[in-house]
């Protein structure tokens, strides 16, 4: 007989199917983001300053691919936050450069592009889905930690 204390059943919330679905949706969104940015990178190579837009697209593709792997296989808070930040920053940059002519900014080229096309639509949708899925996962993780650490009443 073991003398190790065990957690009461209520302290360890059951795995929920929505968490797996959210991880799959987020990873799929990140994979689409990675593919589209990698595919479009050569088209944007001519747009450059100290740093070119093509290399920025390749960096975005690599970060999104890494985030997708972390979301599916590492499943730690740090990886989840990295995935959320990757999608949210990419979405913010896309929307800013779609609606605001920022001009060249420091080492970054002028990436203003005031039009929509199929790949941009796909990336906006994939990044938005990822942000929502990762927000749900992170909020759920925080809620579960709160429930686990909360002292049981009446004991």
């Amino acid at each position: 007989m073991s003398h190790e204390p065990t957690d009461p059943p209520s302290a360890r919330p059951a795995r929920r199917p929505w968490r797996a679905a959210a991880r799959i949706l987020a990873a799929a969104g990140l994979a689409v983001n990675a593919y589209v940015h990698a595919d479009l990178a050569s088209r944007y190579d001519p747009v450059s300053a100290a740093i070119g837009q093509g290399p920025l697209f390749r960096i975005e593709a690599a970060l999104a691919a890494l985030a997708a792997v972390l979301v599916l296989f590492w499943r730690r808070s740090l990886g989840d936050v990295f995935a959320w930040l990757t999608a949210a920053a990419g979405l913010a940059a896309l929307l800013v450069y779609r609606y605001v002519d920022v001009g060249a900014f420091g080492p970054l080229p002028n990436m203003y592009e005031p039009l929509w096309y199929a790949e941009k639509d796909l990336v906006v949708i994939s990044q938005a889905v990822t942000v929502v899925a990762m927000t749900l996962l992170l909020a759920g993780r925080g809620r579960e930690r709160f429930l686990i650490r909360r002292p049981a009443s009446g004991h």
Side-chain angles (χ1 to χ4, degrees), residues 88-98 111:
L91 180 59
L94 188 149
L95 293 174
V96 165
Y97 283 112
R98 163 57 178 92
M111 295 187 284

Side-chain angles (χ1 to χ4, degrees), residues 48-127:
S48 66
I51 300 174
Q53 192 170 349
L56 289 173
F57 271 44
R58 289 180 186 91
I59 291 168
E60 172 70 16
L63 292 175
L66 173 61
V69 169
L70 294 176
V71 164
L72 285 177
F73 301 110
W74 196 42
R75 297 180 185 177
R76 302 278 194 275
S77 293
L78 184 60
D80 291 350
V81 169
F82 176 76
W84 186 92
L85 286 171
T86 300
L91 180 59
L94 188 149
L95 293 174
V96 165
Y97 283 112
R98 163 57 178 92
Y99 292 107
V100 180
D101 188 356
V102 176
F105 184 73
L108 301 176
N110 183 1
M111 295 187 284
Y112 178 62
E113 189 174 46
L115 46 109
W116 288 105
Y117 50 91
E119 290 93 343
K120 192 180 277 191
D121 292 340
L122 188 58
V123 168
V124 165
I125 292 166
S126 70
Q127 289 175 328

Side-chain angles (χ1 to χ4, degrees), residues 123-140:
V123 168
V124 165
I125 292 166
S126 70
Q127 289 175 328
V129 165
T130 300
V131 168
V132 170
M134 293 312 303
T135 299
L136 291 172
L137 280 170
L138 289 166

Side-chain angles (χ1 to χ4, degrees), residues 135-155:
T135 299
L136 291 172
L137 280 170
L138 289 166
R141 183 183 295 257
R143 184 174 179 273
E144 286 173 1
R145 283 193 179 143
F146 173 76
L147 291 174
I148 290 170
R149 291 182 185 162
R150 196 171 100 192
S153 60
H155 291 282

